[in-house]
Amino acid sequence: MPHCPLPLCLAATASLLALSMPLGGARAAESDLKGRCLALEKTMAGHWPDASTHIVSATPQAAGPYTLSPTMPGALGGPVQLPDHCEVYGVMHERTGANGQAYAIRFHLRLPTTWNQGFFFQGGGGTNGDVGNAIGPTGSDTMPAILQGYAVVSQDSGHDNQRNMDPSHGGIAAFGFDAQARADYGNASLKPVADAAKALVAAFYGAAPHRSYFVGCSKGGEEGMVFAQQHPEEFDGILASAPGFALPRAALAQAWDVQVFAPLAKGPDGQPALSRLPVAYSEADMALVNDAVLEACDADDGAKDGIVSAFAQCTTAKVMPGLKAHTCAGAKADGCLSQAQVSALVQSLNGPRTKAGQPIYSDWPWDSGIAARGWRAWKLGLPEQGMGPTLNVALGGVSLASIFTTPPTPLPPDPQALLRWQMGLDIDQTAVRLTATSATFPRSAWQDVSARSPDLSGLKARGAKLMVPHGASDPVFSINDTLAWWREVDGREGGKAAAFVRVFPVPGMNHCAGGPATAHYDAFSALVRWVEQGQAPDRILASAGPDTPLARPHPAPVPLPQGGAL
């Protein structure tokens, strides 16, 4: 008998026994699956890819309803019916880190009884710190991966929002004060979790996955890029939507935006007030901006439909006449924009720059989605009481202070304190801190938490595929940066990168979803067809919500057939 790892041999033996049962032995087979679930800890003992790994719990779960959070990117709201499955929680790399904090990498795996021989890694979001639900969201209107038969893993990226929260050091971002936790968050936790999960899959089913996929958006998109660039052997297909592959620079762009918009939000004392940022532009003001954008650029693709499909042609110079036509002749009044409002928008969309005028991150396109709530929530905040402050302050500020600069700055997770800190930043000096190192942090934040390399030679050699959908009105990660990266990749590949990587801009869409856009589409199925049937996706059929009631295909992958960018 050929040699095989003990977990695989034991699981294979169990599978053969189940197959040899008479047809009436379904209950016995089910019992066998439960037994294998309960025995996983013993089966895997001494046979993990990483010896520090162990199972916290392995529990057979009967089919039943599960409610997905509607706020999760790409997740359907409402209950779904989960199948019978084995639910596993595991942990590795337990240690004591900075400030006496107890750190570890924790993961969550669901192994469905009816398996399609596939493995699915679910990307994270924000600052992570949550082990995730291991359901496998695949898109706005499509079934989660576990309902499609995939074994699904999610992970917390090496820190826990409850265990590692420190109010004096950024709250849940306190892990940024620990060099290893920062590295785990950026990239170091990913491969160990993938390898551990695949070992569990092989032990439970008696066979390694036939196909493996990664799907994520935002921070999850960055994680997909880490796999594509650093560990291309892990996955056959990667769906990296709105990738935060330049997170430290994007966080500095958020501080730039705060400095640009906050002077429009002064309180009675003449100082910028967090509570006034959401009303620095009223809904009517942003509607005027939207009118100017559509007047200038809507028809450039040949269809006047409320979507700026040719957004790359929609320049400041082209939009400015419309903005000037909507600018107040004197003081700010209803029905017109102040000169300061127009100037701030232009400065924001031009992107952060040094005092010498050199770009630090990227510029942003003029697109109709900048008038949507999903754009406002990040850049300005929502005016409704209780909706919380602008995310550029509440999330961007604390991330920049704790995670993306060396040395990190201890601040309370108080939005007003973060606003004051962001307002006092010297952009040039802070840009240097993104790539700085120290005795405590031998690797910079840029090294640990970025994945913007155009070198995808490993992915190409493996024969794997990468798809990158991205909203043109994403207020967090600029699609212009993603398109610039794509051109770098394509240049390295002699104009033939579309053979294994394709970018799909979504005009009007905000961060991962929303906006006046055809934001409902099934990119995951397109990826699976590309990987398993060789059907390269030139376009993805998409539909819009009630604000833009139409159905249309996304533009072809960049570059266009003529070789130009959108």
Side-chain angles (χ1 to χ4, degrees), residues 22-236:
L23 292 178
R27 290 184 179 177
E30 181 181 349
S31 176
D32 174 68
L33 289 168
K34 289 181 178 179
R36 276 191 277 154
C37 181
L38 294 170
L40 272 176
E41 184 173 5
K42 183 180 294 185
T43 302
M44 292 299 300
H47 298 281
W48 291 100
D50 185 307
S52 72
T53 313
H54 66 89
I55 289 174
V56 175
S57 65
T59 309
Q61 299 287 5
Y66 186 92
T67 300
L68 295 173
S69 169
T71 61
M72 176 179 288
L76 287 166
V80 294
Q81 189 76 9
L82 295 189
D84 291 331
H85 65 280
C86 175
E87 183 175 28
V88 181
Y89 287 92
V91 65
M92 62 176 69
H93 296 187
E94 293 172 285
R95 61 187 179 84
T96 300
N99 301 319
Q101 292 274 0
Y103 286 103
I105 301 170
R106 294 176 173 82
F107 61 89
H108 184 191
L109 177 68
R110 295 185 194 264
L111 301 158
T113 301
T114 303
W115 183 46
N116 70 355
Q117 297 185 299
F119 171 67
F120 186 105
F121 196 122
Q122 173 179 320
T127 56
N128 286 355
D130 185 317
V131 76
N133 59 22
I135 299 298
T138 57
S140 56
D141 296 311
T142 53
M143 287 193 303
I146 191 168
L147 271 67
Q148 300 182 41
Y150 289 92
V152 181
V153 72
S154 56
Q155 59 127 13
D156 67 4
S157 77
H159 65 277
D160 183 277
N161 287 338
Q162 304 301 318
R163 293 179 178 90
N164 302 128
M165 198 277 289
D166 184 342
S168 67
H169 286 67
I172 63 172
F175 71 90
F177 288 78
D178 183 277
Q180 185 58 51
R182 188 172 74 177
D184 285 338
Y185 168 71
N187 56 57
S189 68
L190 295 168
K191 179 174 171 56
V193 169
D195 290 344
K198 287 182 179 181
L200 279 164
V201 168
F204 185 74
Y205 295 114
H210 180 63
R211 293 293 188 190
S212 296
Y213 294 96
F214 179 95
V215 174
C217 191
S218 188
K219 177 61 174 71
E222 181 260 353
E223 292 164 1
M225 288 293 186
V226 169
F227 277 120
Q229 295 162 24
Q230 300 177 25
H231 309 292
E233 73 282 356
E234 291 288 347
F235 294 98
D236 302 288

Side-chain angles (χ1 to χ4, degrees), residues 404-428:
F404 302 138
T405 46
T406 301
T409 304
L411 291 172
D414 169 60
Q416 191 64 44
L418 292 170
L419 174 65
R420 289 193 298 269
W421 181 76
Q422 286 176 305
M423 289 298 294
L425 287 177
D426 182 295
I427 296 296
D428 289 41

